[in-house]
Amino acid sequence: MVADTPDAVRPRRWLAIEFAALYFGAPLAIALFLPPGMMFSALFVFTLAGLMLLWRTGGFEWRSLIRGWSRVHWAFLLAFTIGVGFLGWAIMVLTQPDYVIPLSPARLRFLALIWALYPLLSALPQELIFRVLFFYRYGSLLPPGNARIAINAAVFSFAHLMYWSWIVAIMTFVGGVIFARGYLERGFPSAWLLHAFAGNMLFAVGMGYYFWSGNVVRPF
């Protein structure tokens, strides 16, 4: 089990304000006010702020991020990845039947680049902010048991508000539940691999359509 936040890292009231600003205020501001082209720059700043908070949190062992490889459930990881692929393909068939990406050599090279970069540049920082920082720094604010996992999944889903898509909201909530449970039960490597493999599979079946800032349409 991953350790919870140490006692009284900061006054509880301040932690609550900080939590609300980081996990609700920042995503809401990005979704409402920033042009789609600046979303990823804002997310980069958001990630740096989260990492700074993690660094300033007393008692955190960075070595814990590389522990837990022996507890990775590889069979579940494979089954989960295949399941995500079938689900993503079904969603694209039902919602975007005319969106066909030809498997040209250029497309395959681009997909290989995505597969190489997504785990490091997207899944890794997201897991650091939404799992490690969330449970370590703010664990004292959370209820016990499955409720804290549900809150984590809701926060993770809300962070994707900028895409203004109910499909993205549902998928990231379900993913958040699985990633959080993987982190708490098996450690950071499990959560990171689950996130990375799921993301790469979604891009493989064309669901990058829903995560491209050029397709974002605000409902106002």
Side-chain angles (χ1 to χ4, degrees), residues 105-126:
R107 162 65 181 169
L108 292 175
R109 287 194 296 270
F110 178 72
L111 189 59
L113 181 64
I114 291 292
W115 281 5
L117 295 180
Y118 179 80
L120 297 176
L121 300 184
S122 185
L124 181 61
Q126 286 187 63

Side-chain angles (χ1 to χ4, degrees), residues 29-40:
I30 292 172
L32 292 178
F33 303 116
L34 286 187
M38 292 184 62
M39 287 181 178
F40 290 102

Side-chain angles (χ1 to χ4, degrees), residues 57-68:
T57 303
F60 179 72
E61 295 185 14
W62 292 92
R63 289 178 298 179
S64 66
L65 299 178
I66 59 174
R67 296 173 186 157

Side-chain angles (χ1 to χ4, degrees), residues 79-100:
F80 174 68
T81 304
I82 294 173
V84 167
F86 277 114
L87 178 61
W89 173 80
I91 290 174
M92 292 303 295
V93 169
L94 291 173
T95 63
Q96 302 294 334
D98 297 325
Y99 183 71
V100 179

Side-chain angles (χ1 to χ4, degrees), residues 26-179:
L28 186 62
I30 292 172
L32 292 178
F33 303 116
L34 286 187
M38 292 184 62
M39 287 181 178
F40 290 102
S41 298
L43 288 176
F44 177 73
V45 175
F46 175 79
T47 300
L48 288 181
L51 291 176
M52 181 62 69
L53 288 172
L54 183 58
W55 176 72
R56 290 178 59 87
T57 303
F60 179 72
E61 295 185 14
W62 292 92
R63 289 178 298 179
S64 66
L65 299 178
I66 59 174
R67 296 173 186 157
W69 286 96
S70 63
R71 289 181 285 149
V72 174
H73 196 319
W74 297 101
F76 176 78
L77 176 63
L78 177 61
F80 174 68
T81 304
I82 294 173
V84 167
F86 277 114
L87 178 61
W89 173 80
I91 290 174
M92 292 303 295
V93 169
L94 291 173
T95 63
Q96 302 294 334
D98 297 325
Y99 183 71
V100 179
I101 304 178
L103 289 179
S104 63
R107 162 65 181 169
L108 292 175
R109 287 194 296 270
F110 178 72
L111 189 59
L113 181 64
I114 291 292
W115 281 5
L117 295 180
Y118 179 80
L120 297 176
L121 300 184
S122 185
L124 181 61
Q126 286 187 63
E127 288 307 304
L128 287 171
I129 303 305
F130 289 98
R131 250 57 69 181
V132 181
L133 178 68
F134 182 94
F135 288 111
Y136 188 77
R137 186 172 179 87
Y138 306 107
S140 62
L141 302 174
L142 304 172
N146 290 331
R148 63 173 40 199
I149 293 176
I151 293 173
N152 179 261
V155 165
F156 184 61
S157 178
F158 186 78
H160 292 78
L161 176 65
M162 61 182 180
Y163 294 108
W164 295 103
S165 166
W166 64 269
I167 292 175
V168 172
I170 293 174
M171 291 195 69
T172 51
F173 179 84
V174 175
V177 170
I178 295 171
F179 305 154

